[in-house]
């Protein structure tokens, strides 16, 4: 099956710093989604982005499907950005497979 | 309504108990999912319902029994669970199986004692 890698596995930032999270996948995908899981367990959809670039406030994401990677950018980080960021990918007609996640801690 | 609602939020049950988890969505999504998540791990797929029919069972033990009474509602019936079944149980929905994005509920944190 498809393999999904995320880097870095852990990240500690000072409030106000910027960061880039990466998701690599081993096969062609039709769907890709970024999630933020907050400390209470809620999985929040950040972007549905099988290709191209999207922006939402301080967050933006880029997927280069032909090179099998996606990037999530967080600018001017806040303590509320802490949690785990998951990339999930789906080959055509198949279920989403989650990467192992990046655990982000933003310090005040 | 753009939410997936899960109840209860927390559940403690004994190994001989029978309980049910409930998941509801009113977005007209025709695919619904149950995931299990252990601490510090990504969610793992348990079941997929597509158009109210079970389409995927990821070799889940029979002590977990899913049910989809209608297109808006998904249940997970629990019976004779083991302590290692303690986890966060997440429900999700999407417009169609493997298409578009998934919307997740806030989860039920289950503890088996």
């Amino acid at each position: 099956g498809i393999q999904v890698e995320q880097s870095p596995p852990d990240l500690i930032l000072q409030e106000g710093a910027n960061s880039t999270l990466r998701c690599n996948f081993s096969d062609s995908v039709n769907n890709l989604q970024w999630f933020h899981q907050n400390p209470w367990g809620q999985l929040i959809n950040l972007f549905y982005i099988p290709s191209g670039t999207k922006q939402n406030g301080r967050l933006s994401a880029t997927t280069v499907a032909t090179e099998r990677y996606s990037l999530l950018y967080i600018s001017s980080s806040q303590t509320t950005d802490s949690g785990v960021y998951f990339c999930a990918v789906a080959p055509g007609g198949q279920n989403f497979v989650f990467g192992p996640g990046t655990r982000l801690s933003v310090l005040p | 309504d753009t939410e997936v609602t899960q109840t209860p939020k927390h559940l403690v049950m004994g190994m001989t108990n029978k309980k049910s988890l409930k998941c509801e969505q009113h977005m007209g999504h025709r695919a619904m999912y149950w995931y299990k998540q252990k601490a510090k791990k990504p969610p793992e797929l348990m079941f997929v319902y597509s158009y109210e029919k079970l389409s995927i069972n990821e070799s889940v033990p029979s002590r977990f029994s899913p049910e989809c009474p209608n297109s808006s509602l998904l249940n997970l019936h629990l019976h004779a669970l083991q302590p290692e079944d303690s986890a966060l149980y997440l429900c999700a929905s999407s417009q169609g199986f493997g298409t578009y994005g998934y919307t997740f509920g806030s989860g039920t944190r289950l503890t088996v004692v």
Side-chain angles (χ1 to χ4, degrees), chain B residues 84-96:
Chain B
E84 58 265 28
D85 296 321
S86 299
L88 179 67
Y89 289 84
L90 293 159
C91 174
S93 70
S94 65
Q95 289 188 29

Side-chain angles (χ1 to χ4, degrees), chain A residues 18-34:
Chain A
N18 302 329
S19 61
T20 301
L21 282 56
R22 187 177 180 101
C23 172
N24 291 334
F25 41 95
S26 62
D27 204 349
S28 301
V29 298
N30 283 15
N31 300 293
L32 188 147
Q33 202 165 356
W34 281 97

Side-chain angles (χ1 to χ4, degrees), chain B:
Chain B
D1 188 350
T2 58
E3 289 187 347
V4 174
T5 303
Q6 287 188 246
T7 55
K9 293 195 183 306
H10 300 273
L11 179 62
V12 179
M13 61 184 289
M15 289 187 284
T16 59
N17 291 159
K18 286 184 182 181
K19 296 286 185 183
S20 296
L21 310 184
K22 180 180 172 182
C23 173
E24 201 162 3
Q25 58 87 16
H26 297 287
M27 295 177 281
H29 289 176
R30 302 314 301 268
M32 296 185 76
Y33 312 82
W34 280 115
Y35 281 82
K36 174 181 178 180
Q37 187 178 22
K38 302 285 277 184
K40 299 187 186 298
K41 296 290 188 182
E44 294 179 345
L45 182 67
M46 299 175 72
F47 301 105
V48 179
Y49 273 83
S50 181
Y51 289 85
E52 298 152 55
K53 293 192 187 319
L54 182 64
S55 60
I56 293 179
N57 175 343
E58 292 285 353
S59 303
V60 178
S62 59
R63 56 186 184 268
F64 295 91
S65 175
E67 178 196 21
C68 189
N70 60 58
S71 60
S72 299
L73 187 57
L74 186 66
N75 297 319
L76 186 62
H77 303 297
L78 314 172
H79 173 54
L81 295 192
Q82 303 298 309
E84 58 265 28
D85 296 321
S86 299
L88 179 67
Y89 289 84
L90 293 159
C91 174
S93 70
S94 65
Q95 289 188 29
F97 171 64
T99 62
Y100 304 99
Y102 287 15
T103 300
F104 277 85
S106 56
T108 294
R109 198 164 295 278
L110 174 68
T111 303
V112 182
V113 297

